[in-house]
Amino acid sequence: MRPLRIPWVQAALAWVLAEWMRLCFATIRWTYENEGLAQEIWARGGGVLCVFWHSRIGLSPACWPLDRAQPAKALISLSPDGQFIAKAVARLGFPAIRGSSSNKDKADRAKGGSQALRDGLRQLKVGALAITPDGPRGPVNVMAEGLPLLAKLSGAPVLFIGMSCNPAIRLGSWDRAVLPLPFARGAIVWDMAEYPLGADMAEVTAAWTPRLNAVEARADAITGLERA
């Protein structure tokens, strides 16, 4: 049995990860770029989609100040790995909405995806929803149409968020996930978009993908982290 499928092991490791991230975020020297876009959203309140690539989940709690931004939830897959991540980020103040398109059973996949869509739209009426548009299994940095669909149906603005940290731990996972190290140099870069009225979702996906790549690449350029 994989360790993350054992409940007590999963809970213990989630606590360790959450405390590790808390330590790192407090000691990292952060650089912020285009933060005014995020501040405008925080001041306005209401729904917003917070978007970053799957590899930067380990940095993501640092981009959302709970003391001045609207409450946020994270859309996380139904897998055991997703359950582990959900427990860790919940300890940092970001409860999860569970949903996935990766289940082997087609009926479960449809049920999980539609429930996640409903829960996500409900959250976007009151606050922020964090989403990794290439998760939970990739391909890496390839945006699925779930993000444009949520933006179209909700009318919520989209914040593209690039996050970086150097030095950092680079995992051997499919997305080459980045985990922070204490006292590193960090960067958070924002961009903002809204779903164009009457636009085709495939066209929006094609237009938004390079914008998300651009903010992540800019954050990596600031910290000097080598691109995967």
Side-chain angles (χ1 to χ4, degrees):
M1 179 179 290
R2 295 177 59 192
L4 285 183
R5 294 183 183 272
I6 303 173
W8 73 265
V9 173
Q10 185 184 85
L13 291 177
W15 180 87
V16 170
L17 177 59
E19 293 307 308
W20 176 258
M21 288 193 290
R22 203 186 304 275
L23 169 65
C24 293
F25 297 156
T27 59
I28 287 173
R29 305 180 305 278
W30 292 103
T31 296
Y32 304 103
E33 195 165 282
N34 298 332
E35 187 179 15
L37 296 175
Q39 289 175 337
E40 178 185 335
I41 294 292
W42 300 336
R44 184 193 312 172
V48 56
L49 281 154
C50 309
V51 185
F52 43 88
W53 292 126
H54 197 272
S55 66
R56 306 305 162 105
I57 287 177
L59 300 175
S60 59
C63 77
W64 208 252
L66 296 174
D67 60 337
R68 54 197 174 102
Q70 53 267 67
K73 292 184 178 181
L75 183 60
I76 299 176
S77 78
L78 294 167
S79 67
D81 288 353
Q83 177 71 8
F84 166 64
I85 294 170
K87 287 182 176 180
V89 297
R91 287 185 170 275
L92 297 173
F94 300 94
I97 290 173
R98 307 300 305 282
S100 174
S101 60
S102 66
N103 294 312
K104 293 180 181 179
D105 184 87
K106 186 175 181 180
D108 286 347
R109 181 168 66 245
K111 181 179 178 181
S114 40
Q115 183 62 50
L117 177 63
R118 289 193 296 270
D119 291 345
L121 291 172
R122 190 177 300 114
Q123 169 63 16
L124 287 168
K125 292 180 179 179
V126 297
L129 179 66
I131 182 171
T132 56
D134 59 341
R137 297 185 179 181
V140 64
N141 290 25
V142 174
M143 185 178 292
E145 290 190 352
L147 168 64
L149 178 61
L150 280 164
K152 180 180 182 179
L153 294 177
S154 68
V158 177
L159 274 178
F160 303 113
I161 308 172
M163 293 165 282
S164 183
C165 176
N166 190 28
I169 300 168
R170 207 89 197 228
L171 301 183
S173 53
W174 66 268
D175 60 348
R176 298 290 316 281
V178 175
L179 291 181
L181 286 171
F183 305 102
R185 183 178 186 187
I188 303 176
V189 181
W190 287 272
D191 188 12
M192 186 175 71
E194 295 188 356
Y195 193 93
L197 185 63
D200 177 78
M201 279 205 299
E203 294 175 354
V204 173
T205 303
W208 283 1
T209 297
R211 294 182 67 173
L212 186 52
N213 282 330
V215 290
E216 184 177 278
R218 174 57 184 158
D220 285 345
I222 293 171
T223 67
L225 182 68
E226 184 177 351
R227 299 284 288 165

